[in-house]
Structure formats: C-alpha cells, structure tokens
Amino acid sequence: MVFRKLPGVSASGMGLRLSQKFVFLLFLSGLVTLCFGALFFLPDSVRLKRIFLSKTETQPVTVGSGSENDAREHLKRPKDQEHPRGMTSAKGETSTKLKSLSRKPSVSHEATEERLAGGKAQEDMTLPRSKTESATSSDHDANSDTFSFKKFKGCLLKPPLGRDSGNPSDPKTNERREKVKEMMKFAWDNYKRYAWGKNELRPLTRNGHIGNMFGGLRGASIIDSLDTLYIMGLMDEYSEAKEWVQTSLDLNSNGEASLFEVNIRYVGGLLSAYYLTGEELFKNKVLELGEKLLPAFNTPTGIPRGVINLGSGTSWSWGWASAGSSILAEFGTLHLEFVHLTELSTNPIYTEKVMNIRKLLNKIEKPHGLYPNFLSPVSGNWVQHHVSIGGLGDSFYEYLIKSYLMSDKTDDDAKTMYYSALEAIEANLVQKSPGGLTYMAEWRGGILDHKMGHLACFSGGMIGIGADDGAPEKRQHYLDLAAEITHTCHESYTRSATKLGPEAFRFDGGAEATATRLSDRYYILRPEVIESYMYMWRLTHDPKYREWGWEAVEALEEHCRVESGFSGIRDVYTMTVSHDNMQQSFFLSETLKYLYLLFSDDDLLPLEDWVFNTEAHPLPIIRKSCLQDEATQDKTVSE
C-alpha cells in the first residue's frame, strides 16, 4: 500500500499523530463504557437507569370515563345485567339511567395536575419493578428459601378435606348436601355446553358472556369453580377446568380490567387451587398474573387505581367514581391475595404494596372513626364522607379481620384497625328498627340513610368470626350482634314472595327489611346471606341456620333454575318470575360453595386453617413460626 505524503508533514510525524489519536479514542471509549456501566449500580430511583432499562415503568396517568356497565360493575360482582341496575353516585343518590360514555380513558384536569405536581413522586417512589428489577429479584430468590408446598402442608392443623370429605353423619343433612352438589354439576355442565371458555353463561339464550371487567381475560367461571369442584369431589369436572387453565388461559391480554375483580376471582381462584392441590401450574399462572397488577399502584400515594390495562400497565379511575377516586372496597380488598403472592414468590413487593395502603389509612383523619368510600389516589385525602358496610365499602372491613386471622393472629395492626372500625360502626351505623330488627344504615356526612344492601349481609359472618378475639367482655356481645344482623337478612328473604332477598331493603316509611324501590327488587344469585348462615352455623351449631340455608336452596331451585342453568330474577316480590339471563361466576364460587359447607362437617376446610377471600376462595393461615421450624429441620436433615 502506498501512502500519499501530506504537505509539510513527515512520515514519522504522521505516525506519531495517528498513535496519539488511537490512545485518545481508546481512553474515551473506556470512559463511556465505565459511565454506562455505573448506571446499573445506582439506586432504583435514579431517572437515567429507568430510561435505559425500561420503557414501560412510567405509565401515562389517565382518569377514564366509564360506561353504564362500569357504573354497574362498581363493586364485587359482574354488573352486565340486562335489567336496570342502580349505582351509588357521588351524591349518594341511586340512578338507574346512566348516560353511556366512551370507555377510552381521557386525560382529565386532575391527571394533568398530577403530572405537574405529583409526577416525580410517582416515578421515584411508587413504580412497580421493571423487568430488570424482576430479574434482580429472581437472582436474589434463587439464593433464598423458596416456597415449599410440603412444608406448608405440614403446618396445617387438619387435612383440608377432613376425615371423610366433610361427609355429615346425619342422612337428612347429607341428602341436602348432595342436592347442592347436583346443583353445582348442573350449573357447570350447562356452562361447559353453551359458554365454555367465556366468562359466564347466559342460560336463557344458551350462549356465553364475556363482559368488560376482566381486561380480555376469559374463563372467569372456570377459575371461580376450580376449588368448588375439587372440594365437592367432582374430579372429572375439576380435571376439565385444570386442562383449560393449562391450554387456554391466556394472560397476555390488552384490555381494561377491574383490579378488584381480577384479584378476587382470578388471583384468589388460582391461589386456592394451588394450595388445595399442589399443582405447580396454578402457582406459575398466578405469579404471572400478579406481576401484571403491580402498575396499578403507580400513583403518588401508592393507592391503586380501579382500572388497569393488563397489557400496557396503564391505569385510571372509574369514570363514575367521584373526582377520580379509588374505592375503599377495591383498594382495601387486596391484602389477603397479595400477602400470599409474596409467600409463593418470596418477593416482598406484593406485601409492601398493601402495607403502604395500611400506612396511609392509619395516617389520615377518619370522620368519627369511620372510613369513607372515596379516596383520592393523588392527594391521599377522602373525597366524600359517604360510609357504607354494603356496596363500595364492604370487603375492606372483611379483609381487616381476615388479615389478622390469616397471619395466625400476629398482624396486630389489622386487629387494631378492625376493632376500632367496628366500634365506630356500632356507634354510628348500627340501628334497631321499630319491629326490633338490627341493621346497618349508611352514613352520608352525618345523615343516616336507613337502607341496608344485600352486600352488607356478609357482616353477620364477619362479626361472628371476629367475636372471640375482641375484648373479653364484648365477645358475647359481638356474637349476639352477628346473630341479630343475620336474622335481619333472613327476614329480607322471608318477606318476599320468592323467599329470596332483594338487592337492598329499607327501614323507613313503615318499611321493615323490604325493598321499597323497583330498582332494588332484583336478586342476582348473590351469596352474602348464605355466607353468614355458614359462619353462624360453624360458630354456634344452631340448627336454624341449616334450615334457613335449605329454604334458600328450595327458592333457588323453584325460581332461578331454568332449563340450561341458573339465572337471577328481576323482582323477588312477584311469583311471575322474569329472569335476567345471567349465571354469575360467583354463584359457582360462593353461593353453592357456602351452601355445601353449611351442610358439611366442620372439618371440611376448617376455620382453624383457612380463611375465605371475598370470592369464597379458601386461603391458608400463614404460620410463620411453623414454616421456619420446618425449614430449620429440613436443613438439619440435609446436613
């Protein structure tokens, strides 16, 4: 090769110049490499690390408008009913004609302010873990103790299915239990025949229903039924459900999901299926799903928003929620499942998220010791002073006492919060009607609304299971209160023509446990009254609870059973039944399961070992001391 000589530059001088440039470029390259490498060792809150490692951590914060179905779906249940459904509005009024709005989230004034005022706090303090952080966590987990199903089983006091699958010795009770099992098989067979893989069955039109609560997830009835089928011994049906989970449950959806509903049904259902069977399939699926829920907590306060896109991680508040609020019953009904996600994954982030909610609730002022239903995820302040033990509030209180019980009675913070709340509820909401019925009114900024919803009827069982751990002098009082509320809810059933209870009933204007508005007369196969029967039977063994449960079975058979499944009815006060054409997934998960347990011996899913989430999925009590002892023993043996 011939080099052209440059004018005024000798060959030796040009060689020196090239050598100097090479050394300089080498030094510069090393410096850049060192700087970029250092980013990986900086704290997680450093902005540059997030820029280079994750494009999905920081999600746009939007407050969306909801459709009529969103409003209907405001609490614990699928609300895609064809009949009119009411919702509790921001002003506490009931509306059955809601303007249909676009489901596409829009950026509100609140969201804009949040980006300006709270954006940095949101990014730096409350971001869920990115893929890189998860990888780091996985490396940590590989070197730490992992969850052992064998250890867990060794810490149960009794076999989950009892000595003989809870089979009662009394022939009459056993016959009733077998009837409930037949109802479950009938409901399942029709779901399988006409709606397999969809979320719910429409029994009149014999087709499936998908709905818009689960963000593109499918098979809600399958996930909700897994544990019910298993404890009833319907093993062929359970195997069908398990196979569907293995082959067809697709968690890579990109729709708009209710954080609350996905958590209590899908997360709860998969958790209980794993704990009952030990099938790793369910564990793997639930941990994959749990990760997809974390971006909902991506707010300035750490209070999650109600709606999340499971694909993008974008979250926003329900369009009908007052001023972009999060709902007490929604963000307060995550604790049980998220603690178990931490147990299975050994990743503390899930427990950290729900404990952060606790810390905020303990910090802010509560009017008269009560917890209002609407809280801003931006400011962390209450938006309205509307308090209800029914819709919008219910399962928050349920999860306080159950968190305490599930912790093997070590979660003293949950215990304190529960009994303080119960004291405030008694002082402000518990009322006695002229006819002697005890009920829970609703509270609207100091004004009582003498209405009790069907959803609030879970509280008889809740107060019952918490009676033993209250102040010694109040234990009998709490058990009596639980019995009185359960009696009132039973009265709401007996005072209807169908012997099924309405969605809400009142105690004013001469009414006693009766729906006075047409919009409150429907029954959608709800479980709450039967739930309290089951708990009160376990606690007292008073035979009236089994008789009341059988009354409900007969009413369901007469008025809700149709040719191809079970359907809700539009008016419990008329014998000319009009069906709503929906077999709710919670009918399979809760209503029939609670009835089956009511007619079973107490050693089937004994309360000494199990708590039920708000969708009736059994989750085991976490005995940390036992698990640690088991781990120590295993280590000693291996050595």
Side-chain angles (χ1 to χ4, degrees), residues 352-613:
E352 290 168 2
K353 293 298 184 186
V354 290
M355 290 307 297
N356 182 63
I357 295 172
R358 285 252 197 101
K359 290 174 186 174
L360 187 144
L361 291 176
N362 277 326
K363 183 175 66 175
I364 61 178
E365 185 178 350
K366 290 165 278 293
H368 299 283
L370 297 168
Y371 291 83
N373 293 334
F374 297 97
L375 181 74
S376 169
V378 178
S379 68
N381 295 320
W382 305 115
V383 174
Q384 286 189 359
H385 286 182
H386 170 216
V387 177
S388 169
I389 310 306
L392 304 177
D394 53 1
S395 45
F396 162 72
Y397 305 97
E398 174 188 358
Y399 271 36
L400 290 178
I401 185 59
K402 287 183 176 179
S403 294
Y404 173 65
L405 297 175
M406 195 181 79
S407 72
D408 199 22
K409 301 185 179 181
T410 61
D411 187 349
D412 291 330
D413 188 38
K415 179 181 181 181
T416 300
M417 291 175 72
Y418 170 73
Y419 288 105
S420 297
L422 185 55
E423 190 174 322
I425 288 166
E426 277 207 83
N428 295 282
L429 305 183
V430 174
Q431 304 290 308
K432 185 83 78 172
S433 75
L437 297 178
T438 302
Y439 63 97
M440 299 240 189
E442 296 190 7
W443 189 83
R444 303 180 189 277
I447 301 173
L448 283 182
D449 183 5
H450 295 274
K451 176 189 81 170
M452 186 170 177
H454 193 292
L455 286 166
C457 285
F458 86 98
S459 59
M462 176 189 74
I463 296 169
I465 61 173
D468 275 353
D469 295 294
E473 67 275 11
K474 299 201 76 172
R475 289 175 184 172
Q476 188 59 47
H477 165 72
Y478 286 141
L479 200 58
D480 292 342
L481 178 59
E484 289 171 17
I485 290 172
T486 304
H487 170 70
T488 297
C489 292
H490 175 248
E491 284 295 303
S492 77
Y493 275 49
T494 62
R495 298 183 186 207
S496 75
T498 58
K499 305 306 177 189
L500 293 168
E503 180 70 3
F505 43 94
R506 304 195 67 86
F507 297 88
D508 51 12
E512 292 267 332
T514 305
T516 58
R517 300 176 182 176
L518 287 174
S519 59
D520 289 335
R521 291 186 171 191
Y522 60 90
Y523 172 72
I524 57 170
L525 308 175
R526 287 202 189 276
E528 287 76 21
V529 174
I530 294 165
E531 175 182 351
S532 285
Y533 294 168
M534 189 280 289
Y535 282 118
M536 294 308 295
W537 162 256
R538 290 266 181 116
L539 295 168
T540 69
H541 290 125
D542 187 329
K544 72 182 179 185
Y545 296 113
R546 279 183 164 171
E547 292 305 314
W548 292 355
W550 185 245
E551 290 172 8
V553 169
E554 292 181 316
L556 285 166
E557 283 285 287
E558 182 176 355
H559 303 293
C560 297
R561 184 166 181 152
V562 294
E563 187 177 343
S564 300
F566 287 87
S567 172
I569 57 178
R570 301 176 191 276
D571 189 343
V572 298
Y573 295 102
T574 176
M575 292 296 285
T576 307
V577 170
S578 173
H579 293 100
D580 68 7
N581 193 26
M582 185 69 72
Q583 180 175 283
Q584 309 281 2
S585 83
F586 58 74
F587 179 67
L588 308 173
S589 174
E590 299 185 73
T591 310
L592 294 178
K593 183 186 290 139
Y594 283 134
L595 283 169
Y596 190 76
L597 292 172
L598 177 62
F599 298 122
S600 298
D601 281 353
D602 294 358
D603 66 353
L604 178 59
L605 297 175
L607 298 184
E608 296 96 324
D609 281 325
W610 301 89
V611 297
F612 294 88
N613 87 336

Side-chain angles (χ1 to χ4, degrees), residues 129-139 141 291 294 347:
R129 300 189 176 193
S130 68
K131 291 181 180 179
T132 302
E133 291 175 294
S134 297
T136 305
S137 175
S138 296
D139 291 339
D141 293 344
E291 245 187 272
L294 289 173
N347 187 340

Side-chain angles (χ1 to χ4, degrees), residues 188-221:
W188 175 264
D189 286 347
N190 279 284
Y191 167 77
K192 181 186 174 186
R193 181 175 181 182
Y194 298 113
W196 188 246
K198 302 295 194 300
N199 284 324
E200 286 151 323
L201 164 68
R202 290 191 181 275
L204 299 185
T205 51
R206 297 178 181 175
N207 63 331
H209 172 253
I210 294 176
N212 54 11
M213 281 194 307
F214 305 119
L217 295 178
R218 299 288 187 266
S221 288

Side-chain angles (χ1 to χ4, degrees), residues 35 135 307 349 354 550 556 636:
C35 291
V307 189
I349 191 169
V354 290
W550 185 245
L556 285 166
T636 304

